[in-house]
Amino acid sequence: MTTRRNALKIAGAAVLAFGMAAPASAAEFEFNLQSFLPAQATIPSKIIDVWADDLEAASGDRIKINRYASMQLGGKPPELLDQVIDGVIDITWNVIGYTPGRFPSTEVFELPFLVDDAVPASAAFWTMLEEDIAAREFSDFKVLGGWVHGPGVIHSNKEVVVPADLNGMKIRGASRQINSLLSTLGATPVGMPVPAVPEALSKGVIDGTTIPWEVTKALKVPELVENHTEFTGPMMYTVTFVLAMNKDKFAALPADLQKIVEENSGLEFSKFAGRIMQEKDDPAREIALDRGNNVVTLDADQSAVWAEAAMPVYDDWLAGMKDNGLDGDALIDRAKALMSENGS
């Protein structure tokens, strides 16, 4: 870990030396926030920038958030949370599934055909983080937000209508549960961070990918594959995200600024993030339609066939939760109850 930490600090110093540093600031507290998507993608531009701008304004510019997209400070996407723990960076948002099995309770929201709507699910996820998940599994961080994206979609080089159509296909998955689902349905799952998807599609390393519509615009996926399969009713899948801060950096803030950080984070921010991601699905979907791509929308009966075929994923997950000393059924019940309370 020391070698990795030193390498990342050197990379960060190189970035600053070549003129990529944030403008000079009179802020009392400056924090570096690194993420893996390009700055114009939905999460950096429409969620994180809004959060950071609001936080800076609410603090009277006593806080400054320096933002680095596309891993400008070095490292790889799966390392982001460890960069926060190590103090290489101060804040990040990241896909929890990039570190498989490390935060097992969060996987309840990634189970297939469980989530109906990103906003109630994001509210439920944040509530469960506050109740006990954060203390149990995220004690190395200050967790500021947790949310999910809109419906997961299959984007592929051939039409996919029934589960058997996936047989033999190499499909990129975003998390352990998505990969389990793909394997159960007959595909060969290929794990990779989302920035690697365009090259993998263009070179034929994968035959398709599972991502929500909103991220296809930044990745230009409709230019790389012509077939898209979406579902009616509960989502085929979603993934969990977390906004995390180095806990020592948070603790070093005076009480009034800690309060401002928390007031601009938490439940309402998590719901906002889930809503924005889901709202950005439709404009991205239109790009595929405008190109004349084949968008297959499975009806409720067709989608139910997939949901039934996905049931072994639940059995495997519940067994894994038991091995970890966790009550998977209780997690599912709590997630469903909270999503219902919040409008799903």
Side-chain angles (χ1 to χ4, degrees), residues 116 118 149-153 211-213 231 233 235-238 278 281:
D116 288 304
H149 63 56
V153 178
I211 49 177
W213 277 113
F231 297 80
M235 302 178 189
M236 178 191 182
Y237 81 92
T238 189
Q278 191 159 265
D281 283 338

Side-chain angles (χ1 to χ4, degrees), residues 281-312:
D281 283 338
D282 285 344
R285 183 178 185 271
E286 287 299 316
I287 294 172
L289 292 173
D290 290 344
R291 290 183 60 85
N293 287 10
N294 177 36
V295 178
V296 177
T297 303
L298 302 182
D299 63 26
D301 289 339
Q302 291 172 306
S303 298
V305 171
W306 286 73
E308 180 63 28
M311 291 310 297

Side-chain angles (χ1 to χ4, degrees), residues 12 27 32 54 115 137 168 185 197 201 226 245 258 263 284 292 294:
N32 289 341
D54 288 348
V115 172
E137 297 175 14
L185 298 179
V197 166
L201 285 173
E226 298 181 352
M245 183 175 185
Q258 288 185 3
E263 287 175 346
N294 177 36

Side-chain angles (χ1 to χ4, degrees), residues 2 31 37 41 71 75 89 99 106-107 111 123 125 134 143 181 228 240 251 260-261 271 281-282 286 289 316 318:
T2 300
F31 303 108
L37 285 177
M71 303 302 297
I89 61 175
T99 50
T106 68
E107 293 176 348
L111 290 169
F125 180 32
V143 181
L181 171 62
H228 315 270
T240 51
I260 288 172
V261 171
K271 290 165 62 178
D281 283 338
D282 285 344
E286 287 299 316
L289 292 173
D316 290 345
L318 289 169

Side-chain angles (χ1 to χ4, degrees), residues 262-342:
E262 292 183 326
E263 287 175 346
N264 283 272
S265 306
L267 177 61
E268 292 306 317
F269 166 72
S270 299
K271 290 165 62 178
F272 162 77
R275 175 174 61 79
I276 292 298
M277 292 199 74
Q278 191 159 265
E279 287 179 351
K280 295 300 179 182
D281 283 338
D282 285 344
R285 183 178 185 271
E286 287 299 316
I287 294 172
L289 292 173
D290 290 344
R291 290 183 60 85
N293 287 10
N294 177 36
V295 178
V296 177
T297 303
L298 302 182
D299 63 26
D301 289 339
Q302 291 172 306
S303 298
V305 171
W306 286 73
E308 180 63 28
M311 291 310 297
V313 175
Y314 281 75
D315 296 334
D316 290 345
W317 184 77
L318 289 169
M321 290 299 101
K322 185 176 182 180
D323 290 342
N324 283 324
L326 296 169
D327 187 338
D329 285 312
L331 288 168
I332 292 172
D333 290 344
R334 184 60 177 151
K336 287 181 175 179
L338 287 168
M339 286 190 288
S340 179
E341 288 175 17
N342 284 279

Side-chain angles (χ1 to χ4, degrees), residues 58-176:
S59 75
D61 292 325
R62 294 169 63 197
I63 291 176
K64 173 69 176 175
I65 308 294
N66 300 318
R67 305 151 212 185
Y68 299 92
S70 301
M71 303 302 297
Q72 287 176 293
L73 297 182
K76 299 178 181 179
E79 298 171 349
L80 281 167
L81 291 174
D82 281 323
Q83 288 184 0
V84 171
I85 294 174
D86 295 346
V88 175
I89 61 175
D90 305 312
I91 306 170
T92 192
W93 65 267
N94 203 10
V95 177
I96 297 176
Y98 285 176
T99 50
R102 185 172 176 180
F103 309 101
S105 299
T106 68
E107 293 176 348
V108 65
F109 290 98
E110 297 175 352
L111 290 169
F113 302 100
L114 180 77
V115 172
D116 288 304
D117 186 288
V119 179
S122 297
F125 180 32
W126 174 256
T127 300
M128 291 176 68
L129 281 166
E130 278 201 309
E131 287 178 343
D132 61 359
I133 293 177
R136 183 171 64 245
E137 297 175 14
F138 291 85
S139 59
D140 291 330
F141 313 94
K142 171 64 178 179
V143 181
L144 301 176
W147 69 95
V148 305
H149 63 56
V153 178
I154 300 171
H155 311 270
S156 54
N157 59 16
K158 73 172 188 177
E159 184 177 75
V160 173
V161 177
V162 297
D165 291 333
L166 290 177
N167 285 337
M169 294 183 70
K170 294 174 291 184
I171 306 292
R172 176 265 178 185
S175 73
R176 194 166 71 98

